[in-house]
Amino acid sequence: MTNKWAGLAALLAGFFVILLDTTIVAVASPIIQKDLHASISGLFWVTAGYLLAFSVPLLVAGRLGDRYDPKRVFLAGIGSFAVASALCGLAPSVGWLVLFRVVQGLAAAAMAPQALTLIRRLFIADERGRALGLWGTVASAGALLGPLLGGLLTAALDWRWIFLVNVPICCAALLMGLRWIPGSRGHTASLDLPGAVLSTTGLGLLVWALLAWRDTPAPAIAAAGAIAVALLAGFVVRQRRIGSAALAPPTVFGSAGFLAASAAVAALGTVVIAMALPTMLYLQDVRGLGPLEAALVMTPDAVVAALLSPAAGRWVDRVGPRRPAILGMVLLAASLTLIGLVVVLGIDPWWAAPGAVVLGIANAVAWSPLSVAAMASVNVADAGAASGVFSTIRQVAAATGVAVTGAILAGLRASPTLAFSVVFALMTVIASAGVVAAIRLPRTSTDGGRGSEDAVVPQSRHESPEAA
């Protein structure tokens, strides 16, 4: 039996805890450091270890979904995430906490690429905009509510509850997913093991270099970067040679719609994730707000996104992904401009709240059409691989954004206002690049042209939600 909305709820619960745990640790970090007698480096890797383990295996995880059935891989991931979260909450030292956070990240990587594939399976094409609108709400709310929820749990209970809270959510999602997400037999194609080794090692070194540059000698970072580039170049060559059996099939990158959506989501992911910490630091360290006050300034983002995302999804179903994606990316750039003016002009920090409102509208409007456009532009057999590529691009772009903003803030720490002004200006430029990418999305039939979904997967508009 299949209940598509209950199945979607299971997927959204899994995606929510993945993104929640990207940012929830930040507020509790000082207490964790004191309680576990952790060094600054050890505390850094509590977050960085999760990001590293999450980002690197996404390509492989996407293809595992194609091979073994995305439902099975998703449920294995969410069960593992629950266990790892419980272990994080019981960790006796910072070393064990970092290890369990790495396990959390690996479980998150198993789950993340399966969501878009399973949404495509659950919903016919005319309903996917609404489903992905809700997915976009969770994408923004999970990352943005992390600091607020982390602060509340730490103040009311204990820092360990920022991890233990995941356990009941994951258990509920696991039970709902077992019953309501449709399964399939998967495919019999072999997994590209050499490609998996090249991609995971190359991406691992690349993301490690991005995250560890502050505490690692420059020659080591340069060497890791050079090796990563060589391994990833070898991976690309291999993917072209083996064709449809590849982890990242060349047909995926041959789609103009997929490439444009991927470029736009890279900009969106970079801005949403990389701006979270600088915004909180500015509001607290420079403007003197408390953690709860700073979180409240940006709360309109999550609230507005939650309220508008369903309607935005219905709009995507009516007009196609291109126009909503363009509007969403334009609003993203506008929100950064509004918040940036608070920094540059030094006005009351609560004036950042209108910018947060615009950011919430952007989040509501942008995530859904980019996901729709990306997944509609690939063949059904490559859906898992495409989702893995799409997720990898988003995560690596976000990690790069975090590293770049950190470098700017560290390099200009003597002039905080200048540092934060430069950060907001750079993020605005990146958002503007996302506008350009969104403009390059193919027109749908509603826009007056032939859409990528109709061109690539003409059968999908009529496929059954229960279809494997």
Side-chain angles (χ1 to χ4, degrees):
M1 181 183 294
T2 299
N3 181 317
K4 57 190 176 184
W5 295 107
L8 177 64
L11 297 175
L12 295 181
F15 197 55
F16 177 77
V17 294
I18 288 174
L19 293 179
L20 184 71
D21 274 49
T22 302
T23 58
I24 198 171
V25 175
V27 173
S29 292
I31 298 176
I32 294 174
Q33 183 180 18
K34 181 180 179 180
D35 192 28
L36 297 182
H37 308 289
S39 65
I40 294 296
S41 177
L43 192 65
F44 168 77
W45 282 105
V46 171
T47 297
Y50 177 79
L51 291 174
L52 179 63
F54 180 17
S55 303
V56 170
L58 285 168
L59 275 177
V60 177
R63 211 43 160 168
L64 286 174
D66 284 335
R67 177 170 169 76
Y68 296 110
D69 179 22
K71 175 181 177 177
R72 295 176 189 171
V73 179
F74 176 82
L75 294 179
I78 202 163
S80 300
F81 198 93
V83 173
S85 296
L87 292 173
C88 286
L90 300 172
S93 69
V94 72
W96 283 107
L97 181 56
V98 171
L99 175 62
F100 297 145
R101 285 283 281 169
V102 168
V103 177
Q104 259 193 330
L106 294 173
M111 283 191 280
Q114 318 312 328
L116 294 180
T117 306
L118 290 170
I119 287 173
R120 179 171 178 163
R121 179 183 294 176
L122 282 163
F123 295 90
I124 60 174
D126 290 338
E127 297 174 328
R128 288 181 198 146
R130 278 169 284 177
L132 287 167
L134 293 172
W135 181 83
T137 299
V138 171
S140 56
L144 293 164
L145 290 178
L148 179 60
L149 185 57
L152 291 174
L153 288 172
T154 302
L157 298 169
D158 182 77
W159 68 263
R160 296 180 183 276
W161 281 94
I162 66 176
F163 301 113
L164 295 176
V165 72
N166 295 328
V167 177
I169 299 174
C170 290
C171 289
L174 182 62
L175 293 175
M176 293 177 68
L178 282 169
R179 180 170 179 80
W180 300 117
I181 296 175
S184 73
R185 292 186 299 272
H187 302 292
T188 57
S190 60
L191 184 67
D192 176 24
L193 291 179
V197 171
L198 288 171
S199 65
T200 54
T201 307
L203 284 173
L205 286 171
L206 176 62
V207 176
W208 175 83
L210 289 171
L211 294 173
W213 63 269
R214 297 181 204 177
D215 302 317
T216 306
I221 295 296
I227 296 171
V229 169
L231 290 172
L232 293 174
F235 172 72
V236 170
V237 171
R238 177 171 176 79
Q239 301 308 285
R240 290 178 176 175
R241 188 170 70 247
I242 64 177
S244 60
L247 291 173
T251 52
V252 169
F253 293 100
S255 165
F258 183 84
L259 291 177
S262 297
V265 87
L268 181 60
T270 297
V271 170
V272 171
I273 299 299
M275 283 309 303
L277 182 58
T279 302
M280 289 295 110
L281 288 176
Y282 174 76
L283 292 174
Q284 294 179 60
D285 294 351
V286 178
R287 304 309 298 273
L289 298 184
L292 186 57
E293 288 179 304
L296 288 174
V297 170
M298 298 305 295
T299 295
D301 181 359
V303 173
V304 171
L307 292 174
L308 294 185
S309 287
R314 290 191 293 271
W315 185 34
V316 174
D317 288 334
R318 289 198 308 271
V319 306
R322 185 172 180 270
R323 278 186 280 171
I326 294 171
L327 176 62
M329 297 308 297
V330 168
L331 290 174
L332 181 68
S335 71
L336 293 171
T337 301
L338 290 173
I339 299 172
L341 288 174
V342 174
V343 178
V344 174
L345 300 179
I347 59 179
D348 190 313
W350 286 93
W351 280 106
V357 172
V358 178
L359 181 58
I361 301 172
N363 273 309
V365 175
W367 287 101
S368 171
L370 294 177
S371 304
V372 168
M375 298 308 294
S377 299
V378 298
N379 294 314
V380 174
D382 292 329
S387 183
V389 172
F390 194 67
S391 299
T392 299
I393 290 171
R394 184 187 68 240
Q395 282 302 118
V396 173
T400 304
V402 169
V404 171
T405 55
I408 294 171
L409 294 178
L412 298 175
R413 60 182 176 273
S415 304
T417 299
L418 175 61
F420 287 104
S421 298
V422 171
V423 165
F424 276 95
L426 176 61
M427 291 299 110
T428 303
V429 171
I430 292 173
S432 300
V435 174
V436 175
I439 291 172
R440 295 180 64 84
L441 287 171
R443 294 178 180 273
T444 65
S445 55
T446 313
D447 290 326
R450 184 172 175 80
S452 59
E453 180 175 19
D454 296 322
V456 180
V457 282
Q459 80 280 14
S460 65
R461 189 167 296 277
H462 305 288
E463 68 189 10
S464 166
E466 290 80 16

